[in-house]
Amino acid sequence: MRELEERVAGLLGKPEALFFPSGTMAQQVALRVHADRTGRRSFAGHPQTHLHVWENQGYNALHGLRFHPVGDRNELFGLDDLKAVREPLAAVVFELPQRDIGGVLPAFADLAAQTAWARRSGAAAHCDGARLWEAQTGYDATFAEISALFDTVYVSLYKGLEGVRGAVLAGDGETIGQAAVWRRRMGGAIADAWPLAAIALMGMDVNLPRMAEFRDHAQALARAINEDGFAHTTPDVPATPLFHVHLPLSRHDAQRAAEHLLRETGIRLFLYTRSNPDPRRCSFEVSVGISGLEFTPREVVELIRGLPSRV
Amino acid sequence: MRELEERVAGLLGKPEALFFPSGTMAQQVALRVHADRTGRRSFAGHPQTHLHVWENQGYNALHGLRFHPVGDRNELFGLDDLKAVREPLAAVVFELPQRDIGGVLPAFADLAAQTAWARRSGAAAHCDGARLWEAQTGYDATFAEISALFDTVYVSLYKGLEGVRGAVLAGDGETIGQAAVWRRRMGGAIADAWPLAAIALMGMDVNLPRMAEFRDHAQALARAINEDGFAHTTPDVPATPLFHVHLPLSRHDAQRAAEHLLRETGIRLFLYTRSNPDPRRCSFEVSVGISGLEFTPREVVELIRGLPSRV
């Protein structure tokens, strides 16, 4: 485990790193430490941040923190959106890439300006790097150069690494020291998590060097889908191995078609759809990893095109 | 003011009613009273409830309450979604109609089953009736029959009534008595609010009797838009004077076109657009009141059809 923590810290250019059994716990602890240090109870982030949408307001129920959404839920936020938050903030959470709008990345210069603004205002800049391994391929910058913009960085040990589970939080020694206290309080100081570390280290060896290849394949898939025109993607050109496909089908029809496809061919095109304000439409996420390379752009287009006939 | 409170209480079939300077305050107080009575700190409601999206988590910052979203953000929730909330609830908030998905109304029988379930579980059933005046036209039921499903009902004194501002909370004597204490604590016991009451009473005389007429016009507008086919509406057939129009335009293009339209013709087609997960699309809200009757379905279709040429 120590080897994993040191390797992540080294890659991210941070003095220390600490394993957590989940990203939920890692990020709550990061925010708690920032809040206790600043004496502020609010943090800001994208309206669709996992912290707010998927964790039953644990940040509040456990830590007495409040969330302030920034900008439009379907777009990246900008510096002006951040400045519109009129409340003292303990931290600003930056998710790289912004998964729920299709894996979009802010320009590096925008990100630098936003994190600098946050820190000038007395807030910590925290990176939700659940998919930072994938995000890095979208920047002309190393992991350490990206991480240098942030006080704390959380990375996931599964997702892009195709590992089992677990998370690592990286930062300076004082912050990570305080995080270790909260990890124990939350029941996350697990003695025998070394198998997770071993698998994550393998993932770093095998998957990390291939991220650019995954992104290139994602771009080829998206190009084919957009040229075909039945569906289309966001972003138009993926910046990372992740993108969304927008379908002219209701989500119930799309879900049914995908289930029929799975039964008939064994191919799972997507796990679930995302609803749309227009009930005639929905979308799903594509995340290219090793198994995603098996499908050619032509094959993916045909699978998508065939959905209406399988409803 | 007493006259207004008594008239609203009478119309809603509740023993008592209390004026508030804002709906934000009225609903926070209702939830606070329910929470203190039940000893529970969480309330549930639609993911797009005003309480959660537009009030900077005031329910938490002021009252220590937490919000639990129910169901999909683009759909009405159902009884199964409510049952999936595994947390003791102080209250369930039902918004009639559900504005942010196009003014959709649950079937009366569904609503009755859901409020009954909430009350059996020990939670209060609270009605966010900001647009209850409009919602009633979608039911084959009186205001009192709808209100009987709820422990507390909030109604707005502007919006559908085209008044200036203010809100009324109705319920039993004990609840409203406790609400009056919280109204004073929050600075809402305003001595000279009678002009607001006078205007609201006028609105009740003038606008309330015409709600069915507004709804019929909304239905005629929606039918024309859907027959034309350039844009389309949710719901397909509005249940109330409120519906959404989905446009095949980015929200920035739609906004620009609407500004040009306003400058060139003096007609404001919409105030703002709603973004969509697909950046090539957006939507806007139509709410038919007295001024909305001036536009024929044909005219509205032509205004919408003309948007791309004004980008």
mmCIF file of all heavy atoms in Angstrom, chain A residues 165-197:
data_model
loop_
_atom_site.group_PDB
_atom_site.id
_atom_site.type_symbol
_atom_site.label_atom_id
_atom_site.label_comp_id
_atom_site.label_asym_id
_atom_site.label_seq_id
_atom_site.Cartn_x
_atom_site.Cartn_y
_atom_site.Cartn_z
ATOM 1 N N ARG A 165 -11.319 -1.454 -6.648
ATOM 2 C CA ARG A 165 -11.924 -0.303 -5.993
ATOM 3 C C ARG A 165 -10.871 0.426 -5.202
ATOM 4 O O ARG A 165 -9.717 -0.003 -5.129
ATOM 5 C CB ARG A 165 -13.127 -0.720 -5.152
ATOM 6 C CG ARG A 165 -12.896 -1.106 -3.742
ATOM 7 C CD ARG A 165 -14.187 -1.703 -3.178
ATOM 8 N NE ARG A 165 -13.921 -2.369 -1.923
ATOM 9 C CZ ARG A 165 -14.009 -1.765 -0.746
ATOM 10 N NH1 ARG A 165 -14.349 -0.515 -0.675
ATOM 11 N NH2 ARG A 165 -13.743 -2.427 0.363
ATOM 12 N N GLY A 166 -11.270 1.545 -4.602
ATOM 13 C CA GLY A 166 -10.327 2.318 -3.815
ATOM 14 C C GLY A 166 -10.016 3.650 -4.458
ATOM 15 O O GLY A 166 -10.327 3.897 -5.632
ATOM 16 N N ALA A 167 -9.427 4.527 -3.655
ATOM 17 C CA ALA A 167 -9.142 5.896 -4.075
ATOM 18 C C ALA A 167 -7.891 6.354 -3.365
ATOM 19 O O ALA A 167 -7.509 5.792 -2.335
ATOM 20 C CB ALA A 167 -10.320 6.801 -3.699
ATOM 21 N N VAL A 168 -7.251 7.369 -3.915
ATOM 22 C CA VAL A 168 -6.091 7.961 -3.247
ATOM 23 C C VAL A 168 -6.290 9.468 -3.223
ATOM 24 O O VAL A 168 -6.749 10.059 -4.208
ATOM 25 C CB VAL A 168 -4.769 7.593 -3.962
ATOM 26 C CG1 VAL A 168 -3.611 8.431 -3.423
ATOM 27 C CG2 VAL A 168 -4.465 6.106 -3.783
ATOM 28 N N LEU A 169 -5.971 10.069 -2.081
ATOM 29 C CA LEU A 169 -5.998 11.525 -1.951
ATOM 30 C C LEU A 169 -4.563 12.002 -1.782
ATOM 31 O O LEU A 169 -3.828 11.489 -0.920
ATOM 32 C CB LEU A 169 -6.832 11.928 -0.725
ATOM 33 C CG LEU A 169 -6.992 13.430 -0.505
ATOM 34 C CD1 LEU A 169 -7.881 14.048 -1.589
ATOM 35 C CD2 LEU A 169 -7.585 13.718 0.871
ATOM 36 N N ALA A 170 -4.175 12.995 -2.601
ATOM 37 C CA ALA A 170 -2.802 13.514 -2.527
ATOM 38 C C ALA A 170 -2.816 14.994 -2.167
ATOM 39 O O ALA A 170 -3.747 15.727 -2.538
ATOM 40 C CB ALA A 170 -2.096 13.310 -3.863
ATOM 41 N N GLY A 171 -1.779 15.426 -1.440
ATOM 42 C CA GLY A 171 -1.673 16.831 -1.054
ATOM 43 C C GLY A 171 -0.422 17.048 -0.227
ATOM 44 O O GLY A 171 0.468 16.187 -0.203
ATOM 45 N N ASP A 172 -0.391 18.183 0.494
ATOM 46 C CA ASP A 172 0.787 18.419 1.321
ATOM 47 C C ASP A 172 0.696 17.590 2.600
ATOM 48 O O ASP A 172 -0.347 17.017 2.933
ATOM 49 C CB ASP A 172 0.941 19.918 1.626
ATOM 50 C CG ASP A 172 -0.195 20.471 2.463
ATOM 51 O OD1 ASP A 172 -0.603 19.824 3.453
ATOM 52 O OD2 ASP A 172 -0.702 21.546 2.124
ATOM 53 N N GLY A 173 1.832 17.520 3.305
ATOM 54 C CA GLY A 173 1.910 16.632 4.456
ATOM 55 C C GLY A 173 0.908 16.966 5.547
ATOM 56 O O GLY A 173 0.305 16.070 6.154
ATOM 57 N N GLU A 174 0.692 18.249 5.805
ATOM 58 C CA GLU A 174 -0.227 18.622 6.877
ATOM 59 C C GLU A 174 -1.666 18.218 6.530
ATOM 60 O O GLU A 174 -2.388 17.651 7.357
ATOM 61 C CB GLU A 174 -0.135 20.135 7.107
ATOM 62 C CG GLU A 174 -0.774 20.562 8.406
ATOM 63 C CD GLU A 174 -0.716 22.079 8.600
ATOM 64 O OE1 GLU A 174 0.283 22.687 8.159
ATOM 65 O OE2 GLU A 174 -1.668 22.627 9.164
ATOM 66 N N THR A 175 -2.053 18.504 5.310
ATOM 67 C CA THR A 175 -3.416 18.160 4.873
ATOM 68 C C THR A 175 -3.635 16.646 4.918
ATOM 69 O O THR A 175 -4.662 16.170 5.428
ATOM 70 C CB THR A 175 -3.651 18.673 3.436
ATOM 71 O OG1 THR A 175 -3.484 20.094 3.437
ATOM 72 C CG2 THR A 175 -5.030 18.321 2.939
ATOM 73 N N ILE A 176 -2.680 15.900 4.402
ATOM 74 C CA ILE A 176 -2.855 14.450 4.354
ATOM 75 C C ILE A 176 -2.800 13.867 5.772
ATOM 76 O O ILE A 176 -3.499 12.899 6.096
ATOM 77 C CB ILE A 176 -1.817 13.811 3.414
ATOM 78 C CG1 ILE A 176 -2.017 14.354 1.987
ATOM 79 C CG2 ILE A 176 -1.922 12.290 3.419
ATOM 80 C CD1 ILE A 176 -3.415 14.166 1.411
ATOM 81 N N GLY A 177 -1.998 14.478 6.636
ATOM 82 C CA GLY A 177 -1.981 14.051 8.035
ATOM 83 C C GLY A 177 -3.350 14.209 8.685
ATOM 84 O O GLY A 177 -3.851 13.314 9.383
ATOM 85 N N GLN A 178 -3.978 15.354 8.452
ATOM 86 C CA GLN A 178 -5.322 15.572 8.997
ATOM 87 C C GLN A 178 -6.332 14.627 8.342
ATOM 88 O O GLN A 178 -7.280 14.154 8.983
ATOM 89 C CB GLN A 178 -5.746 17.030 8.781
ATOM 90 C CG GLN A 178 -4.897 18.008 9.597
ATOM 91 C CD GLN A 178 -5.211 19.460 9.291
ATOM 92 O OE1 GLN A 178 -6.234 19.764 8.686
ATOM 93 N NE2 GLN A 178 -4.326 20.365 9.708
ATOM 94 N N ALA A 179 -6.124 14.365 7.066
ATOM 95 C CA ALA A 179 -7.031 13.451 6.357
ATOM 96 C C ALA A 179 -6.972 12.052 6.981
ATOM 97 O O ALA A 179 -7.988 11.351 7.045
ATOM 98 C CB ALA A 179 -6.675 13.396 4.869
ATOM 99 N N ALA A 180 -5.793 11.662 7.456
ATOM 100 C CA ALA A 180 -5.664 10.328 8.057
ATOM 101 C C ALA A 180 -6.496 10.218 9.333
ATOM 102 O O ALA A 180 -7.047 9.159 9.640
ATOM 103 C CB ALA A 180 -4.193 10.024 8.341
ATOM 104 N N VAL A 181 -6.593 11.319 10.090
ATOM 105 C CA VAL A 181 -7.439 11.314 11.292
ATOM 106 C C VAL A 181 -8.898 11.085 10.898
ATOM 107 O O VAL A 181 -9.602 10.252 11.480
ATOM 108 C CB VAL A 181 -7.292 12.644 12.063
ATOM 109 C CG1 VAL A 181 -8.266 12.698 13.237
ATOM 110 C CG2 VAL A 181 -5.851 12.828 12.544
ATOM 111 N N TRP A 182 -9.335 11.809 9.874
ATOM 112 C CA TRP A 182 -10.726 11.667 9.446
ATOM 113 C C TRP A 182 -10.989 10.312 8.797
ATOM 114 O O TRP A 182 -12.075 9.755 8.912
ATOM 115 C CB TRP A 182 -11.120 12.820 8.504
ATOM 116 C CG TRP A 182 -11.433 14.049 9.296
ATOM 117 C CD1 TRP A 182 -10.659 15.159 9.451
ATOM 118 C CD2 TRP A 182 -12.602 14.264 10.104
ATOM 119 N NE1 TRP A 182 -11.267 16.057 10.292
ATOM 120 C CE2 TRP A 182 -12.464 15.533 10.704
ATOM 121 C CE3 TRP A 182 -13.739 13.510 10.373
ATOM 122 C CZ2 TRP A 182 -13.433 16.067 11.561
ATOM 123 C CZ3 TRP A 182 -14.712 14.038 11.221
ATOM 124 C CH2 TRP A 182 -14.543 15.302 11.803
ATOM 125 N N ARG A 183 -9.988 9.778 8.132
ATOM 126 C CA ARG A 183 -10.156 8.447 7.552
ATOM 127 C C ARG A 183 -10.435 7.425 8.657
ATOM 128 O O ARG A 183 -11.307 6.564 8.524
ATOM 129 C CB ARG A 183 -8.907 8.046 6.763
ATOM 130 C CG ARG A 183 -9.043 6.696 6.083
ATOM 131 C CD ARG A 183 -7.806 6.315 5.299
ATOM 132 N NE ARG A 183 -6.684 5.988 6.162
ATOM 133 C CZ ARG A 183 -5.588 5.348 5.759
ATOM 134 N NH1 ARG A 183 -5.466 4.996 4.482
ATOM 135 N NH2 ARG A 183 -4.605 5.092 6.595
ATOM 136 N N ARG A 184 -9.709 7.541 9.766
ATOM 137 C CA ARG A 184 -9.961 6.620 10.876
ATOM 138 C C ARG A 184 -11.352 6.836 11.449
ATOM 139 O O ARG A 184 -12.112 5.891 11.676
ATOM 140 C CB ARG A 184 -8.889 6.779 11.959
ATOM 141 C CG ARG A 184 -9.072 5.810 13.136
ATOM 142 C CD ARG A 184 -7.851 5.707 14.036
ATOM 143 N NE ARG A 184 -6.682 5.185 13.350
ATOM 144 C CZ ARG A 184 -6.475 3.892 13.078
ATOM 145 N NH1 ARG A 184 -7.374 2.976 13.442
ATOM 146 N NH2 ARG A 184 -5.400 3.498 12.446
ATOM 147 N N ARG A 185 -11.714 8.088 11.659
ATOM 148 C CA ARG A 185 -13.054 8.369 12.212
ATOM 149 C C ARG A 185 -14.160 7.784 11.336
ATOM 150 O O ARG A 185 -15.186 7.347 11.826
ATOM 151 C CB ARG A 185 -13.255 9.888 12.329
ATOM 152 C CG ARG A 185 -12.488 10.504 13.482
ATOM 153 C CD ARG A 185 -12.873 11.965 13.677
ATOM 154 N NE ARG A 185 -12.160 12.515 14.834
ATOM 155 C CZ ARG A 185 -11.463 13.640 14.843
ATOM 156 N NH1 ARG A 185 -11.382 14.385 13.735
ATOM 157 N NH2 ARG A 185 -10.871 14.056 15.922
ATOM 158 N N MET A 186 -13.947 7.830 10.019
ATOM 159 C CA MET A 186 -14.989 7.354 9.106
ATOM 160 C C MET A 186 -14.917 5.852 8.867
ATOM 161 O O MET A 186 -15.700 5.307 8.088
ATOM 162 C CB MET A 186 -14.911 8.121 7.779
ATOM 163 C CG MET A 186 -15.335 9.578 7.935
ATOM 164 S SD MET A 186 -15.383 10.444 6.347
ATOM 165 C CE MET A 186 -16.923 9.777 5.657
ATOM 166 N N GLY A 187 -14.000 5.192 9.524
ATOM 167 C CA GLY A 187 -13.931 3.740 9.358
ATOM 168 C C GLY A 187 -13.225 3.312 8.088
ATOM 169 O O GLY A 187 -13.470 2.221 7.569
ATOM 170 N N GLY A 188 -12.340 4.192 7.593
ATOM 171 C CA GLY A 188 -11.679 3.877 6.325
ATOM 172 C C GLY A 188 -10.236 3.441 6.458
ATOM 173 O O GLY A 188 -9.575 3.211 5.445
ATOM 174 N N ALA A 189 -9.759 3.330 7.708
ATOM 175 C CA ALA A 189 -8.364 2.893 7.893
ATOM 176 C C ALA A 189 -8.349 1.364 7.915
ATOM 177 O O ALA A 189 -8.429 0.744 8.973
ATOM 178 C CB ALA A 189 -7.800 3.476 9.189
ATOM 179 N N ILE A 190 -8.305 0.795 6.732
ATOM 180 C CA ILE A 190 -8.467 -0.654 6.575
ATOM 181 C C ILE A 190 -7.082 -1.290 6.493
ATOM 182 O O ILE A 190 -6.260 -0.918 5.657
ATOM 183 C CB ILE A 190 -9.275 -0.948 5.295
ATOM 184 C CG1 ILE A 190 -10.707 -0.433 5.494
ATOM 185 C CG2 ILE A 190 -9.274 -2.433 4.992
ATOM 186 C CD1 ILE A 190 -11.483 -0.347 4.213
ATOM 187 N N ALA A 191 -6.843 -2.270 7.383
ATOM 188 C CA ALA A 191 -5.481 -2.803 7.507
ATOM 189 C C ALA A 191 -5.067 -3.642 6.307
ATOM 190 O O ALA A 191 -3.919 -3.605 5.880
ATOM 191 C CB ALA A 191 -5.380 -3.639 8.792
ATOM 192 N N ASP A 192 -5.986 -4.403 5.752
ATOM 193 C CA ASP A 192 -5.561 -5.373 4.742
ATOM 194 C C ASP A 192 -6.103 -5.036 3.353
ATOM 195 O O ASP A 192 -6.671 -5.875 2.665
ATOM 196 C CB ASP A 192 -5.976 -6.780 5.154
ATOM 197 C CG ASP A 192 -7.457 -6.818 5.511
ATOM 198 O OD1 ASP A 192 -8.109 -5.741 5.435
ATOM 199 O OD2 ASP A 192 -7.961 -7.896 5.845
ATOM 200 N N ALA A 193 -5.899 -3.803 2.952
ATOM 201 C CA ALA A 193 -6.369 -3.391 1.625
ATOM 202 C C ALA A 193 -5.310 -3.601 0.560
ATOM 203 O O ALA A 193 -5.474 -3.176 -0.579
ATOM 204 C CB ALA A 193 -6.804 -1.918 1.675
ATOM 205 N N TRP A 194 -4.211 -4.284 0.919
ATOM 206 C CA TRP A 194 -3.098 -4.404 -0.042
ATOM 207 C C TRP A 194 -3.475 -5.059 -1.376
ATOM 208 O O TRP A 194 -2.912 -4.699 -2.408
ATOM 209 C CB TRP A 194 -1.879 -5.097 0.598
ATOM 210 C CG TRP A 194 -2.139 -6.522 1.020
ATOM 211 C CD1 TRP A 194 -2.497 -6.949 2.248
ATOM 212 C CD2 TRP A 194 -2.073 -7.683 0.185
ATOM 213 N NE1 TRP A 194 -2.676 -8.302 2.263
ATOM 214 C CE2 TRP A 194 -2.413 -8.783 1.007
ATOM 215 C CE3 TRP A 194 -1.759 -7.908 -1.162
ATOM 216 C CZ2 TRP A 194 -2.454 -10.088 0.504
ATOM 217 C CZ3 TRP A 194 -1.801 -9.210 -1.667
ATOM 218 C CH2 TRP A 194 -2.159 -10.272 -0.833
ATOM 219 N N PRO A 195 -4.464 -6.009 -1.402
ATOM 220 C CA PRO A 195 -4.799 -6.547 -2.734
ATOM 221 C C PRO A 195 -5.309 -5.464 -3.684
ATOM 222 O O PRO A 195 -5.028 -5.487 -4.881
ATOM 223 C CB PRO A 195 -5.880 -7.587 -2.431
ATOM 224 C CG PRO A 195 -5.691 -7.950 -0.987
ATOM 225 C CD PRO A 195 -5.225 -6.696 -0.335
ATOM 226 N N LEU A 196 -6.054 -4.492 -3.125
ATOM 227 C CA LEU A 196 -6.544 -3.396 -3.964
ATOM 228 C C LEU A 196 -5.373 -2.593 -4.512
ATOM 229 O O LEU A 196 -5.375 -2.154 -5.665
ATOM 230 C CB LEU A 196 -7.473 -2.482 -3.152
ATOM 231 C CG LEU A 196 -8.723 -3.158 -2.556
ATOM 232 C CD1 LEU A 196 -9.501 -2.173 -1.691
ATOM 233 C CD2 LEU A 196 -9.610 -3.706 -3.666
ATOM 234 N N ALA A 197 -4.376 -2.380 -3.650
ATOM 235 C CA ALA A 197 -3.195 -1.625 -4.087
ATOM 236 C C ALA A 197 -2.451 -2.370 -5.189
ATOM 237 O O ALA A 197 -2.036 -1.780 -6.192
ATOM 238 C CB ALA A 197 -2.272 -1.366 -2.900
#
